[in-house]
Amino acid sequence: MEDSRKVMIRLNGIGKVYRLGQIGNGTLQSDLQSWWAKVRGREDPNAMIGQVRRLEGDRFIALENIDLTVRKGERLGIIGGNGAGKSTLLKIITRITAPTTGHMDLYGKVTSMLEVGTGFHSEMTGRENVYLNGSILGMTKKQTDEMLDEIIEFSEVRDFIDTPVKRYSSGMYVKLAFAVAAHLKSDIVIMDEVLAVGDLAFQSKCIRKMLDASRDEDRTILYVSHNMETVRRLCSRCIVLDEGRLVYDGETEEAIRYYSEYLMKQAMEERDASTYVRRDRNITGLCRIEDVYAHETDVPQDGTLSFDVSVQCACSVERMILRLVVSNDAGMIVGMTFSESIRCEEGRNDLRFRFPVHPLAAGRYVCDLVLCEFEEDRQTRHDFVSKILAFTVTENRTYFGNAWKFRSWGNVKLEEVSAERKAHE
Amino acid sequence: MSEDSYHIYVDAKKQPFSMNLREIWAYRDLIWLFTKRTFKLIYKQTVLGPLWIILSPLFTSIVYTVIFGKIAELSTDGIPQFLFYMTGNALWSFFGGSLSQTSVAFISNAHVYSKVYFPRLTIPISNVISSAIQLLIHMVLIVCLIVFYTAKGMLHPNLAYLPALIPVLLFTAVLSFGIGTMVSSLTTKYRDLNFLVGFGLRLWMYASPVIYPVTQVGNGVLRNALLWNPMTAPMEMFRFVLLGAGTVRWQSVLSTVLFASAALVLGIMLFRRAEKTFVDTI
């Protein structure tokens, strides 16, 4: 079953390793500092702490042995958690940075939209920026000339095209930038969640434009997003990245299912909060979530999720609160809630929480836990553990004959609306 | 769309040494737009606008004339002082401006570099071109003065040597480009070098015959050192052709050619190496 379409991108064993010393130290002084600390046998004052898991000595493996072939006209989605290596992969394919291992062939002109409006300069007018942006993205002036009208038309900012873009609203800015990028004459278009910005109508317009481009001009599209809805609409094939490895490659719907299952599994595997590596999230670290345990992870819709959290405190805290940020199985945040405030002593505190799940429709969810101190009208974040608590809401009821439709109704069940027949006066 | 033969190959192991001139040529419109942008941005929201290109060398030359000419009474090889300082300042601004701009190529454009690929060398190249355009504007003023003084019989330019200006400007450009790209590649790791460029350029100016002619420096070590300064030959040659007085020695010419070529090769080598991964470290 050999695919006869022309190969556009071929990656062979592509890997990317960052040396940690390289990331942190920006000045000669700090390099000397690190060196001096090493000489005296002290801890490196510039070392990055607790940031990453894929560490090997002082090396961080961002991507490992990626093999990938993309053919002409394919619309490839790339999904994966934060830090899975999606952006690094795009940066290598767009030649922004070089791989550490492997080699890559590109058989077409690549243009990228890793960020909307790259190279836009606020002092210059919209028109000037179109030319500059176009040529940064690889168009010649003549090509831009030919496309100018179409670009301005698509961007919906015709009246302001000769105004400096610093006077634009962010929406206009995005529209103009996307218009330039979308009209590029290139074989491969790479987008990193640029569609997330801008209003919904414009988002749809963009997706249609990309679909047309792929269909009519046989353009190849690579799209990275956390928004599974746009991935579904746009992509014909999907890969899933996890911790720098390619773990799934295939049909979009399957890939999304694979990814959400993976997300759940990861949370279910009773991750040990005490060894879980905190990413930098502005936390004090004075009080730490040591252990999280849910008694029963299958909760009926009218039931309560009860779970125990043990918190280790370096000082006593009068009013401690636990914030729950609930995401659905596609990784999208559904909602947030607080616990009541509770006193914590210095040392170990065993706390029990009960969370009534009735606003959530049936399905699988995962929580981030944030430990905050409430004091004088403000919160201090002591600890943040992401995706630590997973549970499933079970439900048999139907809604006037319909099962809950997540795709169109979302995950939150709002209060029922009361209805009555008005009495005639 | 692009032809079927379009093919880019990236290998982690190979480190190509080439400027990839064909690719840069394909992006010539971008170089030109960057250059235009530089000029547009410098004078946006100023009252006098592009007039500043003329005003700043004018004022600088007036100040030099007062301080170095009238107060310190430095020799100018018998050339009208104002014109002497004007030419010196023009060529040095070209050199210094292009060097200091190229030396921050990576850092000040990191936000663009890290989001989209285009031949990285386009930015330093456009830096040199915009400095050259500024020089051209200065030259208009200088030529007017030359015509004026020559008519009055106070100046005898060696116009027969006019073609010699081409290598003068070329080597000045190459030297500044080479050193600039070297520094900008190293600053991706060590920001310290930026401070060095700032006052280093100022010191270098005093060590070069910008506000004084080579003849002002007697004999011995100092003169020898001055003759080996790679900026001495361009400076003196520039004045020799335009103003009719200058000391060009073989050491100076050799030094300029050697330093400029070495800086160019080393600069491009370091730049090509830095551009592959600087996004990760900046």
Side-chain angles (χ1 to χ4, degrees):
Chain A
M1 216 183 74
E2 192 57 31
D3 198 332
S4 62
R5 284 176 299 174
K6 192 180 155 215
V7 172
M8 297 303 283
I9 302 171
R10 184 183 287 126
L11 308 185
N12 281 311
I14 288 287
K16 178 80 185 174
V17 175
Y18 292 108
R19 235 174 270 126
L20 283 191
Q22 256 178 9
I23 300 177
N25 301 3
T27 65
L28 198 53
Q29 190 201 358
S30 54
D31 266 10
L32 289 175
Q33 242 176 35
S34 304
W35 171 79
W36 180 233
K38 216 155 109 191
V39 169
R40 290 183 303 168
R42 300 271 178 84
E43 202 176 303
D44 184 350
N46 298 304
M48 308 272 275
I49 310 160
Q51 209 216 10
V52 280
R53 275 163 293 165
R54 283 160 276 158
L55 282 177
E56 254 180 32
D58 64 341
R59 296 166 359 125
F60 168 65
I61 300 166
L63 274 184
E64 209 178 334
N65 207 12
I66 304 284
D67 293 319
L68 179 68
T69 304
V70 187
R71 289 172 190 277
K72 200 174 174 81
E74 272 191 305
R75 301 184 304 275
L76 180 76
I78 302 171
I79 54 182
N82 285 324
K86 303 183 300 272
S87 298
T88 308
L89 182 63
L90 290 198
K91 280 188 173 174
I92 288 173
I93 297 177
T94 50
R95 292 195 289 155
I96 288 167
T97 188
T100 327
T101 61
H103 55 94
M104 163 175 84
D105 294 277
L106 298 174
Y107 297 94
K109 204 165 162 192
V110 180
T111 56
S112 61
M113 286 183 262
L114 297 196
E115 192 177 84
V116 156
T118 301
F120 266 29
H121 206 291
S122 57
E123 294 283 353
M124 291 164 63
T125 68
R127 190 189 303 272
E128 288 167 342
N129 268 309
V130 168
Y131 279 101
L132 185 62
N133 208 221
S135 56
I136 285 179
L137 291 168
M139 283 205 271
T140 63
K141 185 171 175 298
K142 223 179 98 206
Q143 284 171 318
T144 315
D145 280 337
E146 285 161 12
M147 303 301 291
L148 190 65
D149 250 0
E150 219 177 303
I151 290 173
I152 296 175
E153 191 55 48
F154 190 90
S155 69
E156 305 170 359
V157 296
R158 182 176 290 281
D159 296 343
F160 305 96
I161 198 69
D162 290 311
T163 311
V165 294
K166 66 177 173 184
R167 313 233 182 277
Y168 280 28
S169 72
S170 59
M172 289 159 67
Y173 194 90
V174 166
K175 286 177 179 183
L176 184 63
F178 185 86
V180 180
H183 288 81
L184 286 174
K185 289 286 172 204
S186 67
D187 310 299
I188 304 164
V189 182
I190 297 184
M191 293 189 293
D192 189 355
E193 238 168 347
V194 280
L195 299 181
V197 274
D199 54 78
L200 272 176
F202 191 74
Q203 234 180 63
S204 285
K205 189 170 156 185
C206 294
I207 292 182
R208 272 200 309 278
K209 171 80 194 168
M210 296 323 294
L211 283 171
D212 287 349
S214 149
R215 204 172 302 132
D216 306 340
E217 301 162 36
D218 240 6
R219 274 209 239 173
T220 307
I221 294 169
L222 267 62
Y223 178 58
V224 165
S225 182
H226 285 112
N227 184 340
M228 295 305 144
E229 210 42 57
T230 53
V231 173
R232 269 195 189 100
R233 284 187 60 189
L234 188 60
C235 301
S236 56
R237 174 187 158 199
C238 229
I239 59 171
V240 182
L241 290 181
D242 174 35
E243 306 211 333
R245 282 185 297 266
L246 202 161
V247 291
Y248 185 87
D249 181 352
E251 199 263 324
T252 305
E253 210 53 52
E254 273 300 308
I256 293 176
R257 197 169 309 139
Y258 182 93
Y259 175 56
S260 47
E261 245 156 50
Y262 155 78
L263 270 187
M264 295 310 286
K265 209 164 62 199
Q266 201 186 25
M268 294 287 193
E269 273 171 6
E270 279 190 90
R271 270 157 75 186
D272 192 350
S274 60
T275 56
Y276 170 74
V277 184
R278 271 74 166 167
R279 281 165 195 275
D280 183 21
R281 288 264 193 178
N282 276 328
I283 52 174
T284 66
L286 283 174
C287 304
R288 281 173 69 90
I289 297 172
E290 291 282 313
D291 191 28
V292 179
Y293 173 73
H295 304 270
E296 180 61 65
T297 53
D298 283 355
V299 190
Q301 236 253 320
D302 52 357
T304 306
L305 171 73
S306 72
F307 58 99
D308 294 346
V309 176
S310 51
V311 174
Q312 189 71 32
C313 292
C315 54
S316 73
V317 172
E318 200 49 47
R319 305 177 72 183
M320 187 74 90
I321 46 182
L322 188 69
R323 201 155 73 194
L324 277 77
V325 181
V326 183
S327 308
N328 66 11
D329 58 2
M332 296 259 288
I333 292 175
V334 168
M336 186 277 289
T337 184
F338 287 103
S339 73
E340 294 169 310
S341 76
I342 187 166
R343 223 180 91 77
C344 283
E345 310 283 348
E346 192 182 327
R348 188 184 160 102
N349 298 267
D350 290 315
L351 311 174
R352 174 161 297 176
F353 297 92
R354 290 191 186 83
F355 169 39
V357 299
H358 66 81
L360 296 173
R364 294 189 293 184
Y365 299 92
V366 57
C367 290
D368 300 340
L369 298 184
V370 192
L371 195 63
C372 308
E373 179 177 356
F374 181 64
E375 187 183 41
E376 290 163 12
D377 287 343
R378 57 189 201 92
Q379 290 176 31
T380 313
R381 293 156 69 112
H382 286 302
D383 200 3
F384 178 103
V385 193
S386 74
K387 311 267 182 295
I388 190 72
L389 179 64
F391 59 94
T392 306
V393 176
T394 58
E395 183 193 33
N396 317 328
R397 70 171 281 198
T398 56
Y399 299 84
F400 296 103
N402 279 330
W404 189 268
K405 295 177 185 164
F406 298 95
R407 297 268 302 268
S408 9
W409 297 353
N411 293 89
V412 178
K413 230 175 54 182
L414 302 175
E415 289 291 311
E416 262 162 41
V417 179
S418 75
E420 62 179 326
R421 180 172 286 279
K422 254 167 81 181
H424 289 287
E425 303 262 311
Chain B
M1 256 179 241
S2 64
E3 63 278 28
D4 273 346
S5 62
Y6 191 94
H7 178 213
I8 289 164
Y9 179 69
V10 177
D11 194 322
K13 283 183 210 76
K14 282 190 191 129
Q15 298 230 357
F17 172 74
S18 72
M19 272 180 78
N20 208 345
L21 286 171
R22 236 178 75 192
E23 197 186 17
I24 289 172
W25 180 244
Y27 274 82
R28 58 192 180 279
D29 285 340
L30 181 61
I31 296 179
W32 182 235
L33 278 173
F34 276 141
T35 311
K36 275 206 324 220
R37 183 183 69 166
T38 310
F39 281 97
K40 273 198 182 121
L41 296 183
I42 298 177
Y43 304 107
K44 276 261 157 103
Q45 293 210 349
T46 58
V47 180
L48 297 176
L51 215 58
W52 281 113
I53 303 185
I54 297 289
L55 286 182
S56 71
L58 217 55
F59 288 141
T60 312
S61 307
I62 289 172
V63 170
Y64 283 179
T65 310
V66 171
I67 295 179
F68 302 114
K70 301 287 180 248
I71 299 177
E73 293 185 348
L74 291 177
S75 144
T76 56
D77 276 354
I79 293 158
Q81 284 174 340
F82 184 70
L83 186 56
F84 181 90
Y85 296 124
M86 189 98 187
T87 25
N89 180 51
L91 189 64
W92 187 264
S93 302
F94 170 48
F95 175 73
S98 121
L99 195 159
S100 58
Q101 278 180 51
T102 44
S103 72
V104 291
F106 276 126
I107 289 181
S108 51
N109 296 289
H111 58 289
V112 187
Y113 276 148
S114 63
K115 294 294 176 202
V116 61
Y117 176 83
F118 53 90
R120 273 47 173 123
L121 273 168
T122 47
I123 285 184
I125 289 173
S126 105
N127 290 150
V128 175
I129 293 176
S130 42
S131 299
I133 292 174
Q134 289 211 14
L135 175 67
L136 218 66
I137 298 170
H138 291 187
M139 287 307 289
V140 173
L141 209 61
I142 291 173
V143 167
C144 291
L145 286 170
I146 289 174
V147 170
F148 172 75
Y149 281 115
T150 312
K152 280 180 75 179
M154 290 165 75
L155 202 71
H156 307 283
N158 294 313
L159 293 180
Y161 290 91
L162 211 54
L165 285 188
I166 294 169
V168 166
L169 297 180
L170 201 69
F171 275 102
T172 310
V174 165
L175 188 65
S176 65
F177 177 81
I179 299 174
T181 44
M182 257 157 73
V183 173
S184 72
S185 313
L186 295 173
T187 43
T188 58
K189 265 203 100 172
Y190 304 115
R191 299 284 173 98
D192 309 53
L193 282 167
N194 270 346
F195 301 103
L196 198 70
V197 169
F199 78 81
L201 264 176
R202 221 171 317 143
L203 295 187
W204 194 354
M205 187 186 100
Y206 289 115
S208 310
V210 177
I211 46 173
Y212 54 85
V214 169
T215 47
Q216 175 80 12
V217 181
N219 274 311
V221 189
L222 265 182
R223 184 186 164 87
N224 247 321
L226 183 64
L227 286 180
W228 280 102
N229 179 341
M231 271 311 283
T232 297
M235 245 17 208
E236 292 288 320
M237 182 82 99
F238 196 56
R239 288 212 191 96
F240 175 76
V241 175
L242 291 176
L243 310 182
T247 318
V248 184
R249 295 276 175 276
W250 65 269
Q251 299 101 309
S252 312
V253 176
L254 185 67
S255 156
T256 306
V257 172
L258 283 182
F259 271 100
S261 325
L264 182 69
V265 171
L266 209 63
I268 290 176
M269 217 160 76
L270 287 174
F271 196 90
R272 295 286 296 179
R273 216 173 65 182
E275 72 174 11
K276 291 182 75 178
T277 54
F278 91 98
V279 179
D280 310 334
T281 56
I282 213 149

